[in-house]
Every structure is written in structure tokens, then in C-alpha cells.
Amino acid sequence: MKTNFKQIKEKVIESILMLSSAATSITVILIIFFLFIEGAGVFTKKPIEKGFLLAVNNSNPVSKLDPSQIKDIFDQKITNWSDLGGKDVPIVLFRSGDITDYYSEEELGENFANFPDKINELIANTPGIIAFFSDKYVNEEFKGKELDINKITVYKFLSDEEWFPTAEPVAQMGVKPLIYGTLWVSLGAILLALPIALAAAIYLSEIAKKRTRNLLKPLIELLAGIPSVVYGFFGLVVIVPLIQDLFNLPVGETALAGSVVLAIMALPTIITISEDAMRNTPRAMKEASLALGASHWQTIYKVVIPYSASGITAGAILGIGRAIGETMAVLMVTGNAAVIPSSFLAPIRTIPATIAAELGEAPNGGLHYEALFALGCILFIITFGINMLVEVVTNRNSQKKH
Amino acid sequence: MNKTKLFLMLPLIGMLSCGKAKNEDKATASSGTEVSVTIKGSDTVLPLAQKEAEELMKTNADVSITVVGGGSGVGITAMIDGTTDIAMASRDLKTEEKMKFADKKIEIEEVIIAYDALTVIVNPANKVSKLTREQLEKIFTGEIKNWKEVGGADEKIVAYSRESSSGTYEFFKEEVMDKKNYATDILNLPATGAIVQAVGQTKGAIGYIGLAYETKEVKQLAVSYDQGKTFVEPSIASAKDKSYPISRPLFYMFDKKNADKVKTVVDYALSAEGQKIVGEIGYIPLN
């Protein structure tokens, strides 16, 4: 009886353990699915708001425009149809709110009953017009011509250089500056963090006395526990003005500021992992080296560092991983201008910062929302690749040992 | 065998727990106090509506108010779908929205509960003290890049803007920039406080903030909307008498059929106490 009860108990515990591991894996897979399904939506839509259209006068030879051309038209950078392969007619912009400039409230009728007729009339009478309005107001005798807008392709999404997801009438979705910004800042962070972290790890594992190490190690680990907003605020108030003064820049919110903050944040990861790897060097190897007459320093860089190289690499890669995904601190110090960086002293905008800053206002299920998910996919692919790299590096090491 | 069963059960458990959570939501929304009012919309109005709701619920136990942000457009869309009682908005209805309401045969009552003014700020070391709307537009669209073009020192202009999720971003774009897009190299900061901080420490900086956030670390600019004939300094007084051009009313909007239900909330917002809160939050009271 008792053993039976015990068996049941064990079975229950076993199934609970299994359940939680299964739940975790399923959650992960579901999240990835969700991410990619939402993200893929961006490539199935035209970059114009749903239910709206762009129409021109019927005599206008232009019938297809690129999103970037439409943006330039509505920003009044292109003001004549001849620039777009049309006739030499100035462009007249029209948004449905402008209808009151042409017709009085009475003419439009109660509840805008006459809106379809009036807009029809306006488009027919104005050769240079480009009108942006809801497709509900297109009636049967509509005389205008609807403009065709190219869909966003994966290639365009990745290679376009303008990010204006809320631009009206047509959103600009070019993520190239965001990808560059993310990689740029992370690269800077790792260049700054790696030498410092390596030096600290060597000191802690090989040179420092036991008491010093017991004091320093917890301090360094404490760095990992500081919330990233605090780093961001510290960066904004201390590092940004410092960089501005140091390089005599007009503006301190730069990729470099982001890199410095991220480097500080990546330090504990890299130090802890590489120090652990160094301390795993077998005592016999070190003693053999010293017995052969090598000095302490020679032992460190001929024996300890080569032995722990894969651990150091893994630490560095995990550090980059943390830097790439970091949101809040970067959002606060890099200025968030979506331009392709030309130097470390220019503002940049990263993918996580973009998602964090814009998801709040993006309407659920809309194009902007899906574009942000697509950004999430890109970020996921980058970090996934990095994690795979860590796997490969550590695996190579364990094979070498056996 | 055991394993496959478990895998089949998991989604089931998931579904069950989802369903339960939703039921609970509904229960809390409909139970308890007599009137429950939902207010949704503009993030600019949000702090004001929240404070007023808290104060009102303290004194009046019969009303329960839920305030949700998301942006003016979100609130008005919810109003069109009938999922909120009051929409908060930091702008008037757009023609498209009016047409949507007309389609649904909803008559909307708009009540102005306060005013908000945007201040254009620069670094205190900057010589420039006034700009026209056209100059501001050119600065933020990237056509003017140096302060000497608008009568200042030979220094690069560093323009700061809010993130695109902010209603202030849209308002500035529509009112000041003639609906043109911001230049790509404009710096976007996530909060008004960050803009004040950045403009205060950057010599060539220019930015815009709500009047309520103005501090001594930055300099306010006078603005002209008539090609430079008259420049008006931003202040509570000039925003109130509408001589300051970059100001906007803050609205509560509700369905006229629904007027009885929301009366307590709207009346409180217009009462002396409500208007006192307007001042405390940093907006401009009605009178």
C-alpha cells in the first residue's frame, strides 16, 4: 500500500516536471510562430492605409508610383507631374480634410451625403490633382483614376533607407538604417568591452589575491543587476555630455554613447564567463609551464589564454547578444535618428528601441504593427545566429578535450 | 503513449485558462458600483483624466471610472466602435472621422476640458529668440541646417522631436510643419523630460515641449504665424486668449445618446475642482 502511494507520488512529480518542460518549449515555439506570422503580414499589403486610395485626374498619364515618390509629393519636394513622367502640370495635393477649402458645408450636404459627387467633380476638374481619401466615397460614375502603389517586398523592406512608418498617405518601411544602427552600436560595444573585460578576467583569475577577488567579483556581478533604465539615465546625464565636450560635437547622443553604455552592461557577462574558463585551466598544465621555466606572464598568455579561448569567445558572443537586444538604455542615449551611420559620432536608431518606442501607437493588426513584428523577426534571427555560434564554439572545445 | 497524451492536453489547458481570464474581466467591469464609465484616448489628456477620475471616485462612490490611453485616434476609433463611453482627444475630429460618425448615425458632443500649448525651446546660450512658422517648418524638415540662416550664430542646428507614438509629434507635424514629414536625421527622444535635458545641454539644440514642462534650463521662443509680423511669447495668458498660435484644446467626446451616463464625469471636469486639477497637471484651465 505504502509503496503504491510512493509510486503514485513519484509519477505525479515526474509528470509535473515533464509538463513544465513541455510547456516551456511549446511557449517558445508558439512565440516564434506568432512573431513570424505577424511579421509576414507586412509583405502582403500595400503601404497605404486600409480602405483608402490615391486618385488622379483621368487625363494624367502617371498610373503607378513608388512609396518614396508619393512621400516626396506630399512633402512638396516634387511639385510638378513632369518630374514623374507626366505632363507639365503643377501637382495639387488633396486630403479629404481639405474638401472644406473647395466646398461649403451646405454644398456637402447633411452627413456629407454629397461628398462622393463633389470629390468626383473636383478630381475631374483639376488636371494636376492627387487625392487621398476613403474608398467609401468612390461612386459608380467616378471619373478619376486610382493610382497603383507597389507592395512592400522583402528586398525593399531590407534595402530601403527611409523609416517613416506613420507617414501619410503612404508609409515608408526601410529597415536598413535600423539594422545598421543595431549592428554598429553592438560592434562598438564589443570593441570597447572586450579588452577591458579580458584584462579584468586575467587579473581576477590569475593575479589577484583571494581577498581582492572575493571583494571584486561580487561588485562586478552587481553591475549585471542594475536595471537598464538606470544605465540609460546615467548615459544621458553623464556620458552624453562627456562625449559632446570631448569630441566637440554639436550633439552628444551618438552611437558611441550607446556603445559605451552597452559596453558597461556587457562587461559582467564577459568577465564572469571568461574568468570561469580561465580558472578551469588544469593546475597541472600551469605547473608544468612554470616548471619549464616560463614566467607567470608567459604562463598566462601561452597556456591559460589559449586553453580558455573558447570560453572567452563564448563570453564575448553572449555579451554581443545582450548588447544587440538591449532596448531601454539605447533608446535613451543614441538619439534615435533613423539614418545610416557614417561614424560612431553620429546618432543612430536600433531595432529594439524602434519596437519599444513605436508599438504603443501602432494600431493592432495594421501595417505599422506588422512591420514592427517583422523587425522583431530580424532581431530574433540575429540573436539566434549568435546563440548558434556560441553552441558551435563551445562544442568545438569539448570535442578537442576528449 | 503517456507523452502524446500530455502534449494533447496542453493546448486544452491553455484554452481553458484563457477563457477563464476573459470571464473574470467581464465580471469586474460590470459588477460593483452603479455607473461605470470608460474613458479612452489621447495620452496627452491621460494624466488629467486619471487624476480627475481618482478625485471623483474618492468623493463619489457611485461611479467607477476606467481610464485608458493609446492616443487620440485610438479613443475616437473606440468611440466609433462603441467600446468606450468617453473619448479623450488632443485634437478636433478629422473630416474622415466625422464622416464615419455620420455613417453610423452617431451624434457626437465635444466638450473642451482644458487647453494645452506647445513651446518651442532652444539652449539658453542661443541668440535667436523668435522664429516664424515657416522657419520652424524648414528646420524640422531639414531645409535649414544652420542657426546663421535664421539670424543666430554659425552653429549646426540639432533638432529634437518626440517619438512618432506621441500625440505631440502628430500635433507639431500638422500645426507647424504643414503635414510634411520630419527629416530623417531628426533626433527622437522617448520623453518630454529627455528633450528638456538634451536641449539644456546641447548648444545648437531646438525642440518642442508642452508648456507645462518648461524649466529654467531652456529658453522659450516667440513664434509668428503671419510671416513675421507679430511674434507671440508662449505663456498661459497668451494661450488662453488664443493669441499664441501653437495651442490646442483638449476634448472629452461622447455620444449624445449617452449623455446621462457620462454627465457626472464631464461635469466634474468642468467644475472648479476639476479645473484646479487642470492647473496642477500643468495645462491651461478654461477660465
Side-chain angles (χ1 to χ4, degrees), chain B residues 174-242:
Chain B
E174 278 182 19
E175 275 302 304
V176 181
M177 298 170 63
D178 195 20
K179 295 182 185 167
K180 290 180 189 168
N181 283 305
Y182 291 85
T184 40
D185 57 357
I186 296 279
L187 301 171
N188 292 303
L189 296 185
T192 302
I195 291 194
V196 175
Q197 168 81 28
V199 172
Q201 69 195 21
T202 307
K203 247 170 109 191
I206 184 167
Y208 56 84
I209 56 172
L211 187 60
Y213 293 93
E214 183 264 320
T215 61
K216 286 205 179 67
E217 290 124 46
V218 292
K219 188 169 98 176
Q220 299 186 343
L221 289 189
V223 180
S224 161
Y225 258 49
D226 49 8
Q227 282 87 40
K229 277 176 224 141
T230 49
F231 286 90
V232 187
E233 289 272 353
S235 69
I236 291 190
S238 64
K240 238 190 230 177
D241 66 19
K242 291 186 183 150

Side-chain angles (χ1 to χ4, degrees), chain A residues 7-329:
Chain A
Q7 270 181 348
I8 292 173
K9 207 174 130 193
E10 274 179 9
K11 271 264 183 273
V12 168
I13 291 174
E14 262 176 32
S15 52
I16 288 175
L17 291 182
M18 199 186 128
L19 204 71
S20 40
S21 68
T24 321
S25 356
I26 287 183
T27 317
V28 170
I29 291 168
L30 281 182
I31 290 177
I32 296 170
F33 257 118
F34 174 68
L35 186 65
F36 277 85
I37 287 171
E38 290 285 345
V42 74
F43 304 115
T44 61
K45 285 183 187 160
K46 289 186 176 178
I48 189 165
E49 210 181 321
K50 212 180 157 197
F52 284 80
L53 79 160
L54 277 170
V56 292
N57 185 284
N58 215 359
S59 66
N60 198 324
V62 179
S63 62
K64 196 165 189 171
L65 287 176
D66 254 4
S68 56
Q69 288 172 321
I70 296 169
K71 174 177 166 277
D72 283 347
I73 292 174
F74 278 83
D75 281 353
Q76 293 164 35
K77 279 181 195 147
I78 299 178
T79 53
N80 198 302
W81 284 109
S82 59
D83 297 338
L84 301 164
K87 289 181 226 162
D88 186 18
V89 189
I91 295 175
V92 180
L93 295 179
F94 175 85
R95 295 175 171 92
S96 39
D98 300 336
I99 193 86
T100 42
D101 298 349
Y102 297 92
Y103 300 100
S104 66
E105 296 255 344
E106 291 84 59
E107 280 177 291
L108 288 171
E110 201 173 317
N111 289 344
F112 300 95
N114 301 331
F115 192 98
D117 296 334
K118 292 294 174 197
I119 193 149
N120 199 359
E121 190 182 306
L122 187 69
I123 291 173
N125 293 342
T126 323
I129 199 166
I130 178 163
F132 172 61
F133 59 100
S134 165
D135 58 9
K136 263 187 269 170
Y137 302 104
V138 179
N139 59 9
E140 291 85 42
E141 59 258 41
F142 184 65
K143 292 193 203 75
K145 183 169 70 170
E146 187 181 343
L147 274 183
D148 197 9
I149 304 161
N150 295 329
K151 269 187 197 164
I152 303 174
T153 59
V154 180
Y155 174 73
K156 278 250 173 201
F157 190 68
L158 294 176
S159 68
D160 269 7
E161 297 180 2
E162 285 201 326
W163 177 253
F164 279 111
T166 56
E168 270 207 319
V170 174
Q172 308 288 315
M173 308 272 186
V175 299
K176 200 170 164 189
L178 308 182
I179 297 177
Y180 274 50
T182 309
L183 296 178
W184 201 244
V185 144
S186 312
L187 178 76
I190 216 67
L191 286 181
L192 288 173
L194 202 55
I196 301 173
L198 213 56
I202 292 172
Y203 175 75
L204 281 179
S205 74
E206 300 301 319
I207 300 166
K209 291 198 183 78
K210 203 176 171 200
R211 266 187 64 189
T212 332
R213 189 173 64 230
N214 286 348
L215 190 74
L216 281 181
K217 193 101 196 274
L219 267 181
I220 288 170
E221 277 160 6
L222 198 67
L223 268 182
I226 299 174
S228 60
V229 187
V230 177
Y231 280 112
F233 195 65
F234 169 76
L236 184 64
V237 177
V238 179
I239 295 174
V240 167
L242 197 71
I243 286 175
Q244 196 177 340
D245 289 345
L246 213 59
F247 296 95
N248 198 16
L249 297 173
V251 52
E253 279 99 348
T254 53
L256 183 63
S259 294
V260 171
V261 172
L262 287 183
I264 299 172
M265 295 179 75
L267 277 179
T269 317
I270 309 178
I271 293 178
T272 318
I273 294 176
S274 31
E275 199 236 338
D276 283 348
M278 286 180 196
R279 282 163 64 83
N280 275 337
T281 316
R283 203 183 162 79
M285 278 178 114
K286 279 197 269 181
E287 279 173 355
S289 162
L290 291 171
L292 286 170
S295 69
H296 193 186
W297 174 239
Q298 280 169 329
T299 310
I300 289 173
Y301 83 95
K302 291 278 189 196
V303 176
V304 177
I305 292 182
Y307 185 83
S308 53
S310 69
I312 295 169
T313 322
I317 297 172
L318 281 176
I320 302 181
R322 176 156 194 209
I324 283 183
E326 176 47 44
T327 310
M328 213 45 225

Side-chain angles (χ1 to χ4, degrees), chain B residues 136-145 181-183 185-186:
Chain B
L136 283 174
E137 178 191 315
K138 282 185 182 151
I139 287 173
F140 279 90
T141 51
E143 267 182 69
I144 297 181
K145 290 191 183 298
N181 283 305
Y182 291 85
D185 57 357
I186 296 279

